């Protein structure tokens, strides 16, 4: 893992959420010193800048149902192509979000090149809503539903013809699920490690279980929504929810995952500088990336 070039791409998209600001997330994470710090770790970095993403202003939106689907689909199509290309070249793709709807594209690119990959979804929310169950119509609450084949959306990206294997998916840090999401996760028998469970068993045992469930997956994709962190320590997110991972817990989780030497791709999403304080959340996100990619204290 340490020899792979890290390809960085920003996806400044906030079409998937009601609250504006996460389109500036890639800039906040970079501003925290991402490229410099990765290079200080001895890593080769190729920052390929940002995808071109239009904001919601002046764009036509559906009056009912999921919002901005054609616009999100266009961005995710480009991201799928980039993700697959980076993996095909033997590199480690790092996606900076943007809202979590971008995972519709990154996961499609992942399956194009690594169909047996395991996915670790670190989030306060399940993101398994469908257009029928979503209380808001916001697509950033639907990417896993799309990837699991629970909706008829985004077929141009291959969804509908294939899906993420529920046995290769683990959700971690969950603490806020809608009723439809609970039903879907139970029906698919997806392992959900909630914050309540982490409180009981601790981060180390939780990550050991994650790695055990995904033992047969040589490539792990980490999808980190910064609202998985406690808002007292990561206030600058799109949908904060109390009781999340602390700074120390989150870094321990990343260090344990990094020690497995199986992290092959990574995305960090939902940093909202408008809601942040002195780039606290951007710096937190940057630090988690470093830990996930092998940075240690000694």
């Amino acid at each position: 893992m340490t020899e792979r070039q890290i390809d960085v791409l920003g996806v400044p998209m906030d079409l998937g959420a009601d609250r504006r600001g996460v389109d500036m997330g890639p800039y906040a994470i970079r501003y925290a010193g991402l490229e410099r710090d990765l290079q200080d770790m001895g890593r080769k970095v190729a920052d390929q800048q940002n995808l071109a993403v239009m904001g919601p202003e002046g764009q036509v939106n559906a009056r009912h149902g999921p919002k901005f689907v054609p616009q999100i689909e266009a961005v995710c199509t480009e991201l799928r192509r980039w993700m697959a290309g980076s993996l095909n070249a033997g590199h480690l793709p790092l996606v900076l979000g943007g809202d979590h709807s971008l995972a519709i594209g990154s996961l499609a690119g992942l399956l194009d090149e690594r169909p047996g990959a395991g996915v670790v979804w670190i989030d306060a929310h399940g993101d398994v809503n469908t257009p029928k169950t979503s209380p808001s119509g916001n697509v950033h609450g639907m990417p896993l539903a799309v990837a699991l084949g629970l909706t008829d959306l985004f077929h141009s990206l291959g969804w509908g013809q294939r899906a993420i294997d529920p046995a290769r998916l683990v959700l971690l840090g969950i603490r806020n699920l809608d009723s439809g999401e609970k039903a879907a996760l139970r029906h698919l028998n997806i392992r959900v490690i909630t914050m309540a469970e982490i409180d009981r068993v601790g981060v180390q045992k939780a990550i050991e279980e994650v790695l055990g469930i995904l033992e047969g997956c040589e490539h792990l994709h980490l999808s980190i929504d910064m609202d998985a962190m406690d808002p007292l320590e990561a206030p600058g997110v799109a949908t904060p929810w109390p009781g999340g991972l602390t700074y120390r817990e989150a870094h321990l989780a990343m260090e344990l995952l990094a020690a497995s030497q199986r992290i092959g791709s990574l995305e960090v999403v939902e940093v909202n500088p408008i809601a942040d304080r002195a780039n606290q959340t951007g710096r937190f996100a940057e630090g988690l990336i470093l830990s996930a990619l092998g940075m240690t204290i000694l």
Side-chain angles (χ1 to χ4, degrees):
M1 183 182 72
T2 56
E3 296 178 355
R4 296 182 201 166
Q5 173 177 300
I6 299 170
D7 292 339
V8 181
L9 183 72
V11 185
M13 178 167 67
D14 63 357
L15 296 167
D18 280 334
R19 192 178 188 186
R20 300 298 313 277
V22 294
D23 57 328
M24 295 183 285
Y27 302 100
I29 298 171
R30 287 187 176 107
Y31 183 73
L34 178 65
E35 183 172 5
R36 175 202 65 217
D37 291 341
L38 285 171
Q39 290 172 341
D40 285 348
M41 290 169 57
R43 304 300 298 269
K44 183 178 180 181
V45 183
D47 192 330
Q48 298 169 14
Q49 302 306 313
N50 294 341
L51 290 183
V53 184
M54 296 182 66
E57 294 84 4
Q59 297 208 50
V60 177
N61 190 20
R63 297 184 63 183
H64 304 286
K67 304 169 184 175
F68 298 112
V69 168
Q71 296 90 338
I72 293 170
E73 191 163 19
V75 174
C76 286
T77 298
E78 291 299 312
L79 178 55
R80 173 192 184 181
R81 186 178 299 117
W82 178 87
M83 186 82 168
S86 177
L87 291 170
N88 183 263
H91 299 168
L92 192 153
L94 168 58
V95 180
L96 310 177
D99 73 69
H100 220 161
S101 65
L102 64 81
I104 294 164
S106 60
L107 291 177
L110 176 71
L111 287 193
D112 288 341
E113 292 294 328
R114 302 288 188 273
V119 177
V120 184
W121 194 270
I122 302 174
D123 204 320
H125 310 91
D127 293 351
V128 197
N129 268 309
T130 68
K132 291 182 179 180
T133 66
S134 172
S136 67
N138 293 330
V139 179
H140 75 157
M142 304 182 192
L144 278 183
V146 173
L148 289 164
L150 303 179
T151 80
D152 59 358
L153 297 173
F154 302 100
H155 280 194
S156 70
L157 281 91
W159 303 120
Q161 293 77 49
R162 59 180 183 172
I164 293 286
D165 183 348
R168 293 195 177 107
L169 169 67
V170 180
L171 277 63
L172 180 74
I174 304 299
R175 59 191 191 278
N176 183 22
L177 293 171
D178 295 318
S179 58
E181 293 181 299
K182 294 178 183 180
L185 291 166
R186 288 171 179 156
H187 175 71
L188 293 172
N189 197 31
I190 292 170
R191 181 66 173 108
V192 180
I193 302 177
T194 66
M195 277 306 307
E197 190 166 351
I198 291 172
D199 288 340
R200 290 195 299 272
V201 305
V203 169
Q204 182 170 346
K205 286 190 176 180
I207 297 300
E208 287 173 354
E209 182 180 356
V210 170
L211 293 172
I213 293 169
L214 302 177
E215 185 176 7
C217 304
E218 294 182 3
H219 180 117
L220 296 184
H221 174 76
L222 301 191
S223 188
I224 304 171
D225 188 322
M226 286 302 294
D227 70 20
M229 315 309 150
D230 195 285
L232 293 176
E233 301 189 69
V237 296
T239 49
W241 196 264
L245 293 165
T246 66
Y247 184 93
R248 291 172 66 180
E249 288 174 329
H251 273 280
L252 176 58
M254 294 302 104
E255 290 164 6
L256 292 170
L257 289 166
S260 75
Q261 292 289 304
R262 288 193 281 154
I263 296 176
S265 49
L266 175 65
E267 63 198 8
V268 180
V269 304
E270 301 278 359
V271 173
N272 188 339
I274 292 176
D276 209 4
R277 297 191 293 265
N279 205 30
Q280 180 179 349
T281 308
R283 288 186 284 108
F284 194 169
E286 191 253 359
L288 292 181
I289 292 168
L290 300 180
S291 289
L293 296 178
M295 185 175 182
T296 58
I297 295 171
L298 183 63

